[in-house]
Amino acid sequence: MKRLRTNVSSLRGSIEVPGDKSISHRAVMFGAIANGTTTIANFLAGEDCLSTIDCFRKLGVSITQNGSEVVVKGKGMEGLQEPMEILNVGNSGTTTRLLLGILAGCSFHACLIGDESIAKRPMGRVTKPLQQMGAKIDGREHGNYTPLSIRGGSLQAIDYRSPVASAQVKSAILLAGMQADGTTSVTEPHKSRDHTERMLKLFGAEVVVDGLTVSVTGKQALTGTHVDVPGDISSAAFFLVAGAIVPNSEITLKNVGLNPTRTGIIDVLKQMGADITIENIQNEESEPMGDITVRTSELNGIEIGGELIPRLIDEIPIIALLATQAEGTTVIKDASELKVKETNRIDTVVSELKKLGADIEATEDGMIIRGKTKLKANNLMVDSYGDHRIGMMLAVAACITEGGLTLNRPEAIAVSYPSFFAHLQQLIK
Ligand code: SPQ
């Protein structure tokens, strides 16, 4: 349990958020199956990415991690070894699904297990197409939930139409496709984050992107390289919102990833009227990054849905808090994917913000928030439910809440942002 800072009068200063979680996972995984050495700078040493390192070490890959510097000695596409132990993915959906895509092409046996939250997240969305390609996968409820067991082998390419816009589904199939005979394509209903496509190209693979369809031809080798991980925009989002809603604030976030498939939060802040500027954009050809400054703003409610949703799916908890401080109604729709994250994020966001007096209701595929509301707590306890993004959203909510507030299960935040509370403390004036 942690007592949260409430009624903060100002947030000011500049911070550098840790490396992007999605890119850190992929850099280790792609490095492991590449030929030669991969060096990673600004790696996120959060629990999820450490789970990825642990799994690949158990698959025989030599990985040296020294804080945010990582060196991976690649084994090549066919060099992974049958693990002697169960692969523990911890709390990480990305580790589970992308690892399954890689293991689908390996002719040995492996078992995957994770924590209580992972055990509730649907894996059929990747195990079914991987089975269609030729992998043998079994597990709880016919391979839909962990624990899972997989024996990969010779794979056939597929043309897969994903029913959901999910980068994890797309990436798992493309990673299997890299090991299959023929050309594998994945088509999504809306574009999900494209870090896999960009990173495969960085490792020397040929990837064809045609609108919502991505294709790779199998049996291409990857070559080890250097990966510079930008700051995680999903972590920055908590301070972008904090800067907009806490009085007398001005926060600069340095070297934040600005990949257009991830910047929905910036579009939303701008549409709601936030005072936000972006400077020093670099690295535009691979993973763009820049410095973002946000100041306390007058906000208005908006409607958020459609193709914007995959561009901000992980930011919806903090956007819900933002909407409580906007005049008028904010409607978030087309976001039923929130139900299958670390928690059901529609339920956990609505229940915890309601405790603080927010006017918020759950809908089938999102939520409706009416603002502007003064948040209040009278020595209340809110809960992260073991979900890092819910925990951080509540710590930011506390900054604009009157009264005493305690957070249950704050340790969940270490999954993606171990230095979150230190950074918050640094900004409080
Ligand atoms: O890795 P995990 O646990 O799935 O983490 C989350 C998060 O909030 O950090 C989702 F709960 O991020 C996913 C994201 O929602 C990371 C991700 C990726 O790196 O490919 C893609 C998104 O998931 P999905 O299911 O839409 O592909």
Side-chain angles (χ1 to χ4, degrees):
M1 269 186 307
K2 185 175 173 69
R3 189 97 178 144
L4 296 173
R5 281 289 296 264
T6 53
N7 230 355
V8 168
S9 52
S10 171
L11 292 172
R12 300 192 88 83
S14 162
I15 53 168
E16 194 152 348
V17 296
D20 187 276
K21 177 159 79 70
S22 296
I23 298 174
S24 296
H25 281 301
R26 286 162 172 80
V28 170
M29 293 182 179
F30 296 14
I33 57 170
N35 296 317
T37 299
T38 291
T39 50
I40 310 170
N42 200 32
F43 173 81
L44 168 65
E47 285 170 7
D48 270 12
C49 298
L50 296 177
S51 295
T52 291
I53 289 189
D54 181 57
C55 290
F56 278 87
R57 282 185 177 146
K58 288 180 177 149
L59 289 162
V61 183
S62 155
I63 304 172
T64 323
Q65 184 232 334
N66 191 354
S68 63
E69 303 294 314
V70 175
V71 179
V72 184
K73 299 259 188 239
K75 287 275 188 178
M77 211 53 108
E78 290 174 2
L80 298 181
Q81 287 164 16
E82 184 163 62
M84 290 176 64
E85 292 172 71
I86 292 173
L87 304 176
N88 190 340
V89 299
N91 187 248
S92 174
T94 309
T95 309
T96 320
R97 298 194 177 111
L98 272 60
L99 183 56
L100 284 167
I102 292 173
L103 294 175
C106 301
S107 58
F108 54 70
H109 174 257
C111 283
L112 269 67
I113 194 164
D115 69 5
E116 236 179 277
S117 154
I118 276 292
K120 293 187 197 138
R121 297 180 67 183
M123 296 302 155
R125 53 178 57 195
V126 296
T127 56
K128 285 204 177 76
L130 295 176
Q131 283 163 338
Q132 277 176 40
M133 294 176 81
K136 293 184 182 58
I137 306 175
D138 206 347
R140 201 161 47 89
E141 297 197 17
H142 304 284
N144 194 28
Y145 296 102
T146 57
L148 291 165
S149 110
I150 177 165
R151 182 178 292 278
S154 50
L155 301 178
Q156 285 305 314
I158 49 168
D159 280 335
Y160 189 68
R161 268 190 178 271
S162 176
V164 281
S166 159
Q168 294 177 4
V169 171
K170 173 174 65 180
S171 304
I173 298 169
L174 291 176
L175 285 164
M178 290 288 297
Q179 305 167 80
D181 286 324
T183 299
T184 292
S185 302
V186 185
T187 305
E188 311 185 87
H190 294 302
K191 196 168 177 65
S192 65
R193 64 192 67 187
D194 65 357
H195 304 300
T196 292
E197 296 89 305
R198 287 173 188 251
M199 202 179 288
L200 281 174
K201 287 182 190 161
L202 186 69
F203 277 79
E206 200 178 310
V207 181
V208 179
V209 181
D210 179 11
L212 297 172
T213 303
V214 184
S215 310
V216 290
T217 299
K219 313 287 182 197
Q220 298 185 59
L222 300 180
T223 307
T225 184
H226 177 73
V227 182
D228 259 320
V229 182
D232 196 326
I233 190 165
S234 296
S235 299
F238 295 98
F239 291 111
L240 292 175
V241 168
I245 65 178
V246 172
N248 310 312
S249 296
E250 179 169 331
I251 303 176
T252 297
L253 298 149
K254 295 220 175 262
N255 299 325
V256 179
L258 295 171
N259 177 319
T261 61
R262 296 283 299 282
T263 48
I265 178 68
I266 293 173
D267 297 356
V268 160
L269 278 160
K270 283 185 176 161
Q271 269 186 55
M272 290 176 90
D275 179 354
I276 182 166
T277 46
I278 303 179
E279 287 173 311
N280 302 329
I281 299 177
Q282 322 156 40
N283 218 14
E284 275 181 274
E285 57 309 329
S286 55
E287 288 285 356
M289 57 177 120
D291 302 340
I292 315 175
T293 299
V294 64
R295 297 167 202 88
T296 311
S297 310
E298 293 294 319
L299 304 163
N300 52 272
I302 59 167
E303 193 174 297
I304 303 167
E307 62 184 9
L308 187 53
I309 295 295
R311 295 181 55 233
L312 48 67
I313 187 72
D314 296 339
E315 287 63 78
I316 292 178
I318 194 68
I319 289 172
L321 172 67
L322 178 71
T324 68
Q325 302 310 303
E327 287 298 340
T329 303
T330 295
V331 178
I332 301 172
K333 59 179 191 173
D334 306 322
S336 46
E337 275 294 294
L338 289 174
K339 295 178 182 171
V340 292
K341 298 297 180 186
E342 285 82 329
T343 56
N344 176 332
R345 287 180 176 162
I346 297 180
D347 289 352
T348 47
V349 165
V350 170
S351 105
E352 298 316 282
L353 284 178
K354 264 197 173 151
K355 287 185 188 167
L356 303 179
D359 182 347
I360 178 167
E361 70 183 89
T363 61
E364 202 27 60
D365 64 349
M367 45 195 109
I368 300 173
I369 306 119
R370 292 178 196 86
K372 170 179 184 177
T373 312
K374 177 78 202 129
L375 302 183
K376 291 198 175 101
N378 190 2
N379 289 325
L380 258 176
M381 173 141 84
V382 283
D383 201 338
S384 75
Y385 297 95
D387 184 334
H388 53 132
R389 304 214 186 273
I390 302 300
M392 288 186 273
M393 180 276 282
L394 291 167
V396 175
C399 294
I400 53 157
T401 298
E402 248 172 44
L405 195 59
T406 304
L407 176 64
N408 195 22
R409 292 181 262 190
E411 61 283 354
I413 291 172
V415 152
S416 63
Y417 200 163
S419 53
F420 172 78
F421 282 112
H423 282 172
L424 180 59
Q425 187 58 41
Q426 189 184 320
L427 294 170
I428 292 177
K429 299 294 172 231

Coordinates of all heavy atoms in Angstrom, one line a residue, residues 205-252:
A205 N 15.4 -7.4 -42.9 CA 14.4 -8.2 -43.5 C 13.6 -7.3 -44.5 O 13.5 -6.1 -44.4 CB 13.4 -8.8 -42.5
E206 N 13.0 -8.0 -45.5 CA 12.2 -7.3 -46.4 C 10.7 -7.5 -46.0 O 10.2 -8.6 -45.7 CB 12.3 -7.9 -47.8 CG 11.8 -6.9 -48.9 CD 12.1 -7.5 -50.3 OE1 13.2 -8.0 -50.5 OE2 11.1 -7.6 -51.1
V207 N 10.0 -6.3 -45.8 CA 8.7 -6.4 -45.3 C 7.8 -5.5 -46.2 O 8.3 -4.4 -46.5 CB 8.6 -5.7 -43.8 CG1 7.2 -5.8 -43.3 CG2 9.6 -6.5 -42.9
V208 N 6.7 -6.0 -46.7 CA 5.9 -5.2 -47.6 C 4.6 -4.7 -46.8 O 3.9 -5.5 -46.3 CB 5.5 -6.0 -48.8 CG1 4.6 -5.2 -49.8 CG2 6.8 -6.5 -49.6
V209 N 4.5 -3.4 -46.8 CA 3.3 -2.8 -46.2 C 2.4 -2.2 -47.3 O 2.8 -1.4 -48.0 CB 3.7 -1.8 -45.1 CG1 2.4 -1.2 -44.4 CG2 4.6 -2.3 -44.1
D210 N 1.1 -2.7 -47.4 CA 0.2 -2.2 -48.4 C -1.1 -1.9 -47.6 O -1.9 -2.8 -47.4 CB 0.0 -3.3 -49.4 CG -0.9 -2.9 -50.5 OD1 -1.3 -1.7 -50.6 OD2 -1.3 -3.8 -51.3
G211 N -1.3 -0.7 -47.3 CA -2.5 -0.3 -46.5 C -2.5 -1.0 -45.2 O -1.6 -0.9 -44.4
L212 N -3.5 -1.8 -45.0 CA -3.7 -2.5 -43.7 C -3.1 -3.9 -43.7 O -3.3 -4.7 -42.8 CB -5.2 -2.6 -43.3 CG -5.8 -1.2 -43.1 CD1 -7.3 -1.3 -42.9 CD2 -5.2 -0.5 -41.8
T213 N -2.4 -4.3 -44.9 CA -1.9 -5.6 -45.0 C -0.3 -5.5 -44.9 O 0.3 -4.7 -45.6 CB -2.3 -6.2 -46.4 OG1 -3.7 -6.3 -46.4 CG2 -1.7 -7.6 -46.5
V214 N 0.2 -6.4 -44.1 CA 1.7 -6.5 -44.0 C 2.1 -7.9 -44.4 O 1.5 -8.9 -44.0 CB 2.2 -6.3 -42.5 CG1 3.7 -6.3 -42.5 CG2 1.6 -5.0 -42.0
S215 N 3.1 -8.1 -45.2 CA 3.6 -9.4 -45.7 C 5.1 -9.6 -45.5 O 5.9 -8.6 -45.7 CB 3.3 -9.5 -47.2 OG 2.0 -9.2 -47.5
V216 N 5.4 -10.8 -45.2 CA 6.9 -11.2 -45.2 C 7.0 -12.5 -45.9 O 6.2 -13.4 -45.8 CB 7.4 -11.3 -43.7 CG1 7.6 -10.0 -43.0 CG2 6.6 -12.3 -42.9
T217 N 8.2 -12.7 -46.5 CA 8.5 -14.0 -47.2 C 9.4 -14.7 -46.2 O 10.2 -14.1 -45.6 CB 9.1 -13.7 -48.5 OG1 8.2 -13.0 -49.3 CG2 9.5 -15.0 -49.2
G218 N 9.1 -16.0 -46.0 CA 9.8 -16.8 -45.1 C 11.3 -17.1 -45.4 O 11.7 -16.8 -46.5
K219 N 12.0 -17.6 -44.4 CA 13.4 -18.0 -44.5 C 14.3 -16.9 -44.8 O 15.4 -17.1 -45.4 CB 13.5 -19.1 -45.6 CG 12.5 -20.3 -45.6 CD 12.8 -21.2 -44.5 CE 11.7 -22.4 -44.5 NZ 11.7 -23.1 -43.2
Q220 N 13.9 -15.7 -44.4 CA 14.9 -14.6 -44.5 C 15.7 -14.5 -43.2 O 15.1 -14.7 -42.1 CB 14.1 -13.2 -44.5 CG 13.2 -13.0 -45.7 CD 12.7 -11.6 -45.7 OE1 13.4 -10.6 -45.7 NE2 11.3 -11.5 -45.6
A221 N 17.0 -14.2 -43.3 CA 17.8 -14.1 -42.1 C 17.8 -12.7 -41.6 O 17.7 -11.8 -42.4 CB 19.2 -14.6 -42.4
L222 N 17.9 -12.6 -40.3 CA 18.0 -11.2 -39.7 C 19.5 -11.0 -39.3 O 20.1 -12.0 -38.9 CB 17.1 -11.1 -38.4 CG 15.6 -11.3 -38.6 CD1 14.9 -11.2 -37.2 CD2 15.0 -10.3 -39.5
T223 N 19.9 -9.8 -39.3 CA 21.3 -9.5 -39.0 C 21.3 -8.6 -37.7 O 20.6 -7.5 -37.7 CB 22.0 -8.8 -40.2 OG1 21.8 -9.6 -41.3 CG2 23.5 -8.6 -39.9
G224 N 22.1 -9.0 -36.7 CA 22.2 -8.2 -35.5 C 22.5 -6.7 -35.8 O 23.3 -6.4 -36.7
T225 N 22.1 -5.8 -34.9 CA 22.3 -4.4 -35.2 C 22.2 -3.6 -33.9 O 22.2 -4.2 -32.8 CB 21.2 -3.9 -36.2 OG1 21.4 -2.5 -36.5 CG2 19.8 -4.0 -35.6
H226 N 22.2 -2.3 -34.0 CA 22.1 -1.4 -32.8 C 20.7 -0.9 -32.8 O 20.2 -0.3 -33.8 CB 23.1 -0.3 -32.8 CG 23.0 0.6 -31.6 ND1 23.3 0.2 -30.3 CD2 22.4 1.8 -31.5 CE1 23.0 1.2 -29.5 NE2 22.5 2.2 -30.2
V227 N 20.0 -0.9 -31.6 CA 18.7 -0.4 -31.5 C 18.7 0.7 -30.4 O 19.1 0.5 -29.3 CB 17.7 -1.5 -31.1 CG1 16.3 -0.8 -31.0 CG2 17.7 -2.6 -32.0
D228 N 18.3 1.9 -30.8 CA 18.2 3.0 -29.8 C 16.7 3.1 -29.5 O 15.9 3.5 -30.3 CB 18.5 4.4 -30.6 CG 19.9 4.8 -30.2 OD1 20.3 4.7 -29.1 OD2 20.6 5.3 -31.2
V229 N 16.4 2.8 -28.2 CA 14.9 2.8 -27.9 C 14.5 4.2 -27.4 O 15.1 4.8 -26.5 CB 14.7 1.8 -26.7 CG1 13.3 1.7 -26.3 CG2 15.3 0.4 -27.0
P230 N 13.5 4.7 -28.1 CA 13.0 6.1 -27.6 C 12.2 5.9 -26.3 O 11.8 4.8 -25.9 CB 12.0 6.5 -28.8 CG 11.6 5.2 -29.5 CD 12.7 4.2 -29.2
G231 N 12.0 7.1 -25.7 CA 11.1 7.0 -24.4 C 9.7 6.6 -24.8 O 9.2 6.7 -25.9
D232 N 9.1 6.0 -23.8 CA 7.8 5.3 -24.0 C 6.7 6.4 -23.9 O 6.4 6.9 -22.9 CB 7.6 4.2 -23.0 CG 6.5 3.3 -23.4 OD1 5.5 3.7 -24.0 OD2 6.6 2.1 -23.1
I233 N 6.0 6.6 -25.1 CA 4.9 7.6 -25.1 C 3.8 7.1 -24.1 O 3.1 8.0 -23.6 CB 4.4 7.9 -26.5 CG1 3.5 9.1 -26.5 CG2 3.8 6.7 -27.2 CD1 3.2 9.7 -27.8
S234 N 3.6 5.8 -23.9 CA 2.6 5.4 -23.0 C 2.9 5.7 -21.6 O 2.0 5.9 -20.8 CB 2.4 3.9 -23.2 OG 1.9 3.6 -24.5
S235 N 4.2 5.8 -21.3 CA 4.6 6.2 -19.9 C 4.5 7.8 -19.8 O 4.0 8.3 -18.8 CB 6.0 5.8 -19.6 OG 6.1 4.4 -19.6
A236 N 5.0 8.4 -20.9 CA 4.9 9.9 -21.0 C 3.5 10.4 -20.8 O 3.2 11.4 -20.2 CB 5.5 10.4 -22.3
A237 N 2.5 9.6 -21.3 CA 1.1 10.0 -21.3 C 0.6 10.4 -19.9 O -0.2 11.3 -19.7 CB 0.2 8.9 -21.8
F238 N 1.1 9.7 -18.8 CA 0.7 10.0 -17.5 C 1.1 11.4 -17.1 O 0.3 12.2 -16.5 CB 1.2 9.0 -16.5 CG 0.6 7.6 -16.8 CD1 1.4 6.7 -17.5 CD2 -0.6 7.3 -16.4 CE1 0.8 5.5 -17.8 CE2 -1.2 6.1 -16.7 CZ -0.5 5.2 -17.4
F239 N 2.3 11.9 -17.5 CA 2.8 13.2 -17.2 C 2.2 14.2 -18.2 O 2.1 15.4 -17.8 CB 4.3 13.2 -17.1 CG 4.8 12.5 -15.9 CD1 5.5 11.3 -16.1 CD2 4.5 12.9 -14.6 CE1 5.9 10.5 -15.0 CE2 4.9 12.2 -13.5 CZ 5.6 11.0 -13.7
L240 N 1.9 13.8 -19.4 CA 1.2 14.8 -20.3 C -0.1 15.2 -19.8 O -0.5 16.3 -19.8 CB 1.0 14.1 -21.7 CG 2.3 13.9 -22.5 CD1 2.1 13.1 -23.8 CD2 3.1 15.2 -22.8
V241 N -0.9 14.2 -19.3 CA -2.2 14.5 -18.7 C -2.0 15.2 -17.4 O -2.7 16.2 -17.1 CB -3.0 13.2 -18.5 CG1 -4.2 13.4 -17.7 CG2 -3.4 12.6 -19.9
A242 N -1.0 14.8 -16.5 CA -0.8 15.5 -15.3 C -0.5 17.0 -15.5 O -1.1 17.9 -14.8 CB 0.3 14.8 -14.5
G243 N 0.3 17.3 -16.5 CA 0.7 18.6 -16.8 C -0.5 19.5 -17.2 O -0.6 20.7 -16.9
A244 N -1.4 18.8 -17.9 CA -2.6 19.5 -18.4 C -3.7 19.8 -17.3 O -4.4 20.8 -17.4 CB -3.3 18.8 -19.6
I245 N -3.7 18.9 -16.3 CA -4.8 19.0 -15.3 C -4.4 19.6 -14.0 O -5.3 20.1 -13.2 CB -5.6 17.7 -15.2 CG1 -4.8 16.6 -14.6 CG2 -6.3 17.3 -16.5 CD1 -5.5 15.3 -14.3
V246 N -3.1 19.5 -13.6 CA -2.7 20.0 -12.3 C -2.5 21.6 -12.5 O -1.9 22.0 -13.5 CB -1.4 19.3 -11.8 CG1 -0.9 20.0 -10.6 CG2 -1.7 17.8 -11.6
P247 N -3.0 22.4 -11.6 CA -2.8 23.8 -11.7 C -1.3 24.3 -11.8 O -0.4 23.5 -11.3 CB -3.4 24.4 -10.4 CG -4.1 23.3 -9.7 CD -3.7 22.0 -10.3
N248 N -1.1 25.4 -12.4 CA 0.3 26.0 -12.5 C 1.4 25.1 -13.0 O 2.4 25.0 -12.4 CB 0.7 26.6 -11.1 CG -0.4 27.4 -10.5 OD1 -0.9 28.3 -11.2 ND2 -0.8 27.1 -9.3
S249 N 1.1 24.3 -14.0 CA 2.1 23.3 -14.3 C 2.7 23.5 -15.7 O 2.1 24.1 -16.6 CB 1.4 21.9 -14.4 OG 1.0 21.5 -13.1
E250 N 3.9 23.1 -15.8 CA 4.6 23.1 -17.1 C 5.6 21.9 -17.1 O 6.6 22.0 -16.3 CB 5.3 24.4 -17.5 CG 6.0 24.3 -18.8 CD 6.5 25.6 -19.3 OE1 5.9 26.7 -19.1 OE2 7.5 25.6 -20.1
I251 N 5.4 20.9 -17.9 CA 6.3 19.7 -17.9 C 6.9 19.5 -19.3 O 6.1 19.5 -20.3 CB 5.6 18.5 -17.4 CG1 4.9 18.7 -16.1 CG2 6.5 17.2 -17.4 CD1 4.0 17.5 -15.6
T252 N 8.2 19.2 -19.3 CA 8.8 18.8 -20.6 C 9.3 17.4 -20.5 O 9.9 17.0 -19.5 CB 10.0 19.7 -21.0 OG1 9.5 21.1 -21.2 CG2 10.7 19.3 -22.3

